[in-house]
Amino acid sequence: MASPPNSSLNVLIVGNGIAGPVLAMALQKVTQYRITLVDGGSEDAAPIGGGVAISPNGMKALKFIGADQIVLEEGGSPEQFTVCRGDLNTPLVVEQIRDAFVEKYGYSVYGILRQTLCGRLRALAKERGIDMRYGLKLTNVEESEGHVQAQFANGQTMTADLLIACDGLHSVARRYVMGDEAGPRFSGASLIIGVANLTPEEEKTAELKGFTAFLGSSTMFLCIPVDKNGTWMWANGFPTVDPAGGEAEWNKGDHTLSHYTQLCSTKVEGWKAVAPKVVLSKAFRAIPLGIYDRPPSSKWYKGRVVLCGDAVHPTTPVGGQGAQMAMESAVILARLLAENGPSDETFTKYTELRRPRTDTVTQNARFALINLFAEGLRQKIRDTVLWLFGGFFMRSVFVGPLVVKELKRIVETSEIVKEDDSSWPKPNIVGKQELEIRVGSDHISFHTAKIGSLMDVSESEDPEGLRVFYYLVQDIKIKPI
């Protein structure tokens, strides 16, 4: 299967959560594909869940489709990141993150209600003319020569040149791609997540200044602002049996807000930290969830069916990277399709680019989850490690070899090393831009005044050379890896 990059293919995207609309709008931006986005729910059904944490890598994926303003307008921006011993109310990690992250990455870390993010993404996709259809729950996938057919629970079928599945942890298309496999892997713990409204006085009483996690013995309680008006997402996690068997602690008793908040209150009983008590008293939503992921897999596609987001690399929520990885994968898949069209080579490259990162995040998140609910000696080791090194981890960023390889490709393709900055505008009071490149034995650096727009480039003495620099910097800044 191979098609020209910009041929007008029919692409069916299954799943209208986060990855689905991001992928649809990314494909619309860079290809001429005819895109249909379907979902099993009704159009007016509100996405479930509490809040979503969006870090700079997720924001850059949203920027690629012109949707970062959704989070900037609607979300909360934590001033600091704090980890405390809940029982003693003593800090283990306190880091001022907002300004530091903006300066280093261009964005901070944000919290936003999942319902708000999904709703705004769907509205934006609709505004841009994406064909979105609801009430279509995928039940089966079949391929024949030249196309793929999706079958839905209501008896309807749809045919496309390419099917991209963004249908989450329980993906039907995943079963088609990977064959018979075990279901999602239970982590050994559950979360009760919720939303609360706090007044400024209550925030002060609770000593909440941003993303705050309280750790105890076999439990944790965290809070993050999800708007600018006192709305907070909260989550209480603790070990349980697999809720799929119906025997989880939160599955016993009535399924009401008061039942769930009371259960959470027992988990933090006796703590000196007052935030959990204040937040639980103002909760207006609570949802219990078992925590699942899937072991990393090397098989991300089969024929004309490709997996994206949680359909292929679901992770536990520790680290808050599930949504970020889904958006990154969506944008990178769209760009690869625009460059090379659908083919085994394209989808193999997509898998190779993404797997090192998604595998690492999934494995690290599961390991962190196990230690998050530590007790006894393991709890003391956990707390000591956080106290000694937690701030360092927050301030550091690590990249793998495939990221370096892709950046090297971008730099070499741009041919920036052939340029000379001697005729470029000199740095001035307005600002400056610098780029230093080391590739093998080659070492070259560039310095110029801050470039506000392409007009500045066109009016320079060396517009051709400065244009190469301008586009290279833009590509590095917006390319989520």
Side-chain angles (χ1 to χ4, degrees):
M1 174 191 60
S3 301
N6 284 316
S7 63
S8 190
L9 298 178
N10 290 312
V11 177
L12 177 63
I13 301 174
V14 179
N16 198 349
I18 294 177
V22 170
L23 175 61
M25 287 185 277
L27 282 173
Q28 184 187 58
K29 175 180 178 178
V30 296
T31 73
Q32 300 172 14
Y33 296 167
R34 292 186 293 270
I35 304 158
T36 304
L37 176 58
V38 303
D39 193 81
S42 62
E43 185 170 2
D44 57 356
I48 63 171
V52 179
I54 307 293
S55 48
N57 53 319
M59 291 296 291
K60 289 180 180 180
L62 288 172
K63 181 180 180 180
F64 183 80
I65 60 168
D68 53 333
Q69 281 300 120
I70 293 175
V71 178
L72 295 175
E73 292 170 0
E74 301 274 10
S77 179
E79 176 185 339
Q80 69 183 34
F81 174 87
T82 307
V83 181
C84 291
R85 276 280 301 268
D87 53 350
L88 303 176
N89 199 29
T90 55
L92 299 172
V93 181
V94 179
E95 287 291 325
Q96 304 299 317
I97 60 173
R98 182 190 294 158
D99 295 340
F101 272 47
V102 170
E103 181 179 354
K104 189 171 185 178
Y105 306 118
Y107 293 101
S108 183
V109 177
Y110 307 88
I112 186 170
L113 287 172
R114 179 179 173 83
Q115 181 176 343
T116 301
L117 177 61
C118 292
R120 287 286 302 269
L121 284 172
R122 290 179 180 183
L124 186 60
K126 184 177 181 179
E127 179 184 317
R128 294 180 180 178
I130 300 292
D131 180 7
M132 294 190 294
R133 308 181 191 183
Y134 296 89
L136 294 172
K137 182 177 176 58
L138 185 68
T139 57
N140 193 39
V141 176
E142 292 183 355
E143 280 192 79
S144 59
E145 186 65 33
H147 69 271
V148 57
Q149 184 181 79
Q151 301 171 3
F152 302 99
N154 64 359
Q156 188 174 341
T157 62
M158 295 181 68
T159 300
D161 298 302
L162 178 66
L163 187 151
I164 306 176
C166 304
D167 51 345
L169 179 69
H170 300 282
S171 171
V172 172
R174 180 186 175 101
R175 293 201 302 268
Y176 171 79
V177 169
M178 298 187 184
D180 293 333
E181 62 160 12
R185 178 175 61 173
F186 181 56
S187 67
S190 291
L191 281 177
I192 296 179
I193 60 174
V195 186
N197 276 131
L198 303 183
T199 65
E201 292 75 20
E202 288 165 337
E203 290 179 350
K204 185 176 181 180
T205 298
E207 299 179 329
L208 291 174
K209 295 182 179 179
F211 187 108
T212 308
F214 300 93
L215 303 183
S217 177
S218 297
T219 192
M220 70 87 189
F221 193 99
L222 67 83
C223 310
I224 183 170
V226 289
D227 69 12
K228 301 172 181 65
N229 303 307
T231 306
W232 290 75
M233 180 202 109
W234 57 268
N236 183 204
F238 43 86
T240 67
V241 297
D242 190 342
E247 295 300 319
E249 189 174 2
W250 50 262
N251 254 340
K252 301 174 183 178
D254 58 351
H255 299 276
T256 62
L257 174 63
S258 61
H259 169 67
Y260 296 135
T261 55
Q262 180 59 39
L263 176 58
C264 293
S265 295
T266 65
K267 298 297 180 182
V268 299
E269 188 174 359
W271 281 12
K272 291 183 179 180
V274 299
K277 181 178 179 180
V278 173
V279 170
L280 289 171
S281 71
K282 300 303 296 287
F284 63 86
R285 182 185 306 164
I287 304 167
L289 299 169
I291 304 176
Y292 298 87
D293 65 5
R294 287 183 185 269
S297 171
S298 61
K299 197 166 185 180
W300 285 36
Y301 77 97
K302 177 182 176 182
R304 296 175 179 270
V305 180
V306 188
L307 305 177
C308 184
D310 281 355
V312 66
H313 48 66
T315 181
T316 71
V318 179
Q321 283 297 307
Q324 336 294 324
M325 292 199 303
M327 292 188 288
E328 286 177 340
S329 292
V331 171
I332 288 175
L333 178 56
R335 293 181 67 151
L336 289 172
L337 285 167
E339 292 172 5
N340 306 301
S343 66
D344 286 340
E345 181 180 358
T346 296
F347 300 142
T348 298
K349 184 175 182 180
Y350 163 62
T351 305
E352 291 175 346
L353 277 174
R354 296 300 294 150
R355 271 202 68 197
R357 169 162 167 72
T358 60
D359 286 6
T360 299
V361 169
T362 300
Q363 291 162 351
N364 287 349
R366 190 173 184 86
F367 175 78
L369 183 74
I370 293 170
N371 289 283
L372 193 62
F373 303 125
E375 57 185 345
L377 178 60
R378 286 178 53 236
Q379 179 189 357
K380 292 179 181 179
I381 294 172
R382 176 200 68 191
D383 294 346
T384 301
V385 169
L386 281 171
W387 183 70
L388 290 172
F389 304 112
F392 169 77
F393 291 141
M394 283 299 298
R395 294 187 297 269
S396 302
V397 62
F398 302 89
V399 295
L402 278 176
V403 176
V404 175
K405 180 180 178 182
E406 178 66 4
L407 288 173
K408 182 179 178 182
R409 184 192 67 79
I410 294 171
V411 170
E412 290 177 341
T413 302
S414 74
E415 298 188 329
I416 185 68
V417 294
K418 296 181 180 180
E419 305 302 333
D420 184 344
D421 65 358
S422 59
S423 299
W424 296 0
K426 304 302 180 185
N428 53 42
I429 195 171
V430 176
K432 64 180 179 180
Q433 287 181 262
E434 299 177 325
L435 179 65
E436 184 173 3
I437 300 169
R438 293 177 184 266
V439 179
S441 59
D442 294 330
H443 179 200
I444 188 169
S445 60
F446 299 90
H447 307 265
T448 186
K450 186 175 181 179
I451 304 172
S453 67
L454 280 173
M455 184 174 294
D456 296 336
V457 174
S458 300
E459 293 175 352
S460 71
E461 295 181 18
D462 180 21
E464 292 302 320
L466 195 57
R467 186 174 289 108
V468 172
F469 174 84
Y470 175 82
Y471 280 124
L472 172 60
V473 170
Q474 292 300 309
D475 200 29
I476 292 175
K477 285 170 67 177
I478 69 171
K479 187 175 183 64
I481 302 297

